[in-house]
Amino acid sequence: MDLRIFTEPQQGATYDTLLTVAKATEDLGFDAFFRSDHYLRMGAVDGLPGPTDAWITLAGLARETKRIRLGTLMTAGTFRLPGVLAIQVAQVDQMSGGRVELGLGAGWFEEEHKAYGIPFPKEKIGRLEEQLAIVTGLWATETGKTFDFHGKFYDLTDSPALPKPAQAKVPVLIGGHGATRTPRLAGQYADEFNMPFASLEDTARQFGRVRAAAEAAGRAADALTYSNALVACVGKDDAEVARRAAVIGREVEELKANGLAGSPAEVVEKIGRYAEVGAQRIYLQILDLDDLDHLELISAQVQSQLT
C-alpha cells in the first residue's frame, strides 16, 4: 500500500510551506506529494496569504526534491487549454527527471471561476474527454510528426506536439463519483483511478464500474491502479487526535466515520479495509500543513506497518 501526501493549499499556504511539507514527505519515506488545483479557499478559513498555482508550485518542487512523485488531484480542466497544459506538464516532468503525474478533472467550483474571471462552461465532461484525448495524443505523437484534433470544443492543426515529457508515459489520473461517464473515461484514458472521500461501499461499487469500463475499452482491469483520497487525523492517544481534529475544525467521530482518524492501529485497520475492496494507494489529505509531527507519526507508526 503506497501512502501519498495530499495538500489543499487554497486553504492557506505559501510556497515555502509547501516546500517544507514536500521535503518532509521525501525525508519520511512517503511515495509522493500531491496538491489540489484551486484558486479560492473553502469553508471558514481566511485562505491567507492567497492561492498558489498548482503547476508553478510543482515546477519549483521538481527542482528541490529528488525522489518523490509529484502531481495534482485534480488539475481543473477549466483552468488551462489542453495544448498549453500538455506543454506545462511535459516541462515539469523534464525538470523533475520524470516524476510527474497528471490528475485531470472537469472542474467544479463555480465560485473560484467567478472570483478570478475564469469561464465556467455548462458542458464540462465533454470538454474533459477532448482534453484527455489532446494531452495524451500530443505526448504520444512521434517526434518529427504532427498532431491534429478536430473536436466540438478544441481544434488543433499541424501541432509539432512538443516538448515531450521525460517519462515515456506520464501517468494520468482520473477520479470521481460519477456512475457512467467517469468510469468510461477512466477505462479509456487513466493509468490510475482515484475515489475521493468515499465510504468502503461506494469505493467498492465505483472500482467495479471502472474495472468493467476498462475491460469494455479492451484493457485489462488490472492495468489501472486504484486509489482513495481520505482526510488523515492521527494521534498517539485520544487527546492528540482531538487536538488535531480541533485545529482543522472537524469532529473526531465524524473523521473516524469518513476518513482515517484515531490511533495508528485504528488507521492501519481502516486502510486494511480499503485494501480489501481494491485500494492499492491512499492519498492522505493533510489539512494542517504546519504540523510536521503529524507526518512523522504517520511515517513511523502507520506507514511502517503497511510496508
Side-chain angles (χ1 to χ4, degrees):
M1 177 68 72
D2 293 334
L3 293 186
R4 295 182 159 189
I5 300 303
F6 170 42
T7 62
E8 301 273 9
Q10 75 278 356
Q11 300 301 87
T14 65
Y15 172 75
D16 286 340
T17 297
L18 296 172
L19 175 60
T20 298
V21 175
K23 286 186 172 180
T25 297
E26 185 158 86
D27 293 343
L28 293 170
F30 293 104
D31 183 60
F33 174 93
F34 271 58
R35 60 156 292 164
S36 60
D37 188 21
H38 287 294
Y39 292 137
L40 194 67
R41 56 100 181 102
M42 303 170 194
V45 297
D46 58 26
L48 294 175
T52 50
D53 182 83
W55 285 99
I56 290 176
T57 296
L58 294 175
L61 298 180
R63 307 303 290 178
E64 302 206 55
T65 57
K66 302 296 184 186
R67 177 189 59 81
I68 51 173
R69 308 289 293 176
L70 300 166
T72 51
L73 282 181
M74 301 283 184
T75 290
T78 49
F79 289 176
R80 296 166 178 86
L81 296 171
V84 175
L85 180 62
I87 292 170
Q88 291 172 319
V89 177
Q91 183 176 0
V92 179
D93 195 52
Q94 292 173 1
M95 293 167 71
S96 72
R99 294 183 284 123
V100 158
E101 304 186 9
L102 171 63
L104 185 58
W108 62 270
F109 189 20
E110 186 172 5
E111 287 81 358
E112 68 187 338
H113 294 74
K114 292 178 179 178
Y116 287 97
I118 303 168
F120 190 70
K122 182 177 180 180
E123 175 53 68
K124 291 182 284 297
I125 297 297
R127 288 175 183 272
L128 174 62
E129 184 164 6
E130 291 192 9
Q131 290 162 351
L132 288 162
I134 292 166
V135 170
T136 58
L138 287 167
W139 290 338
T141 300
E142 293 180 23
T143 301
K145 296 186 176 181
T146 59
F147 176 80
D148 290 78
F149 182 91
H150 307 292
K152 178 179 178 181
F153 303 103
Y154 303 100
D155 196 285
L156 286 75
T157 301
D158 292 334
S159 172
L162 297 171
K164 299 302 183 192
Q167 298 174 88
K169 175 73 172 68
V170 172
V172 173
L173 289 73
I174 296 173
H177 295 251
T180 304
R181 290 190 290 181
T182 296
R184 180 178 61 80
L185 290 179
Q188 183 174 357
Y189 291 105
D191 299 284
E192 178 177 337
F193 178 77
N194 180 264
M195 187 61 167
F197 313 113
S199 68
L200 289 159
E201 295 75 17
D202 288 345
T203 294
R205 190 177 302 113
Q206 190 72 330
F207 282 178
R209 292 181 183 127
V210 174
R211 295 178 71 87
E215 291 174 348
R219 303 172 66 195
D222 290 339
L224 282 74
T225 297
Y226 297 85
S227 64
N228 286 89
L230 294 160
V231 62
C233 182
V234 189
K236 62 181 183 294
D237 53 36
D238 290 345
E240 190 166 84
V241 175
R243 177 179 63 77
R244 289 197 164 112
V247 169
I248 63 173
R250 304 279 284 270
E251 298 292 331
V252 171
E253 291 309 311
E254 178 268 323
L255 287 168
K256 287 187 176 184
N258 299 312
L260 298 173
S263 68
E266 288 178 287
V267 170
V268 168
E269 189 275 334
K270 184 85 173 277
I271 290 174
R273 284 190 276 154
Y274 277 94
E276 288 173 359
V277 300
Q280 300 160 290
R281 177 175 291 155
I282 300 290
Y283 292 80
L284 302 171
Q285 186 195 44
I286 303 297
L287 296 176
D288 182 1
L289 299 182
D290 295 319
D291 187 1
L292 298 183
D293 290 342
H294 192 196
L295 298 185
E296 292 178 5
L297 177 67
I298 295 170
S299 173
Q301 297 192 35
V302 175
Q303 181 172 239
S304 62
Q305 295 189 58
L306 298 172
T307 56

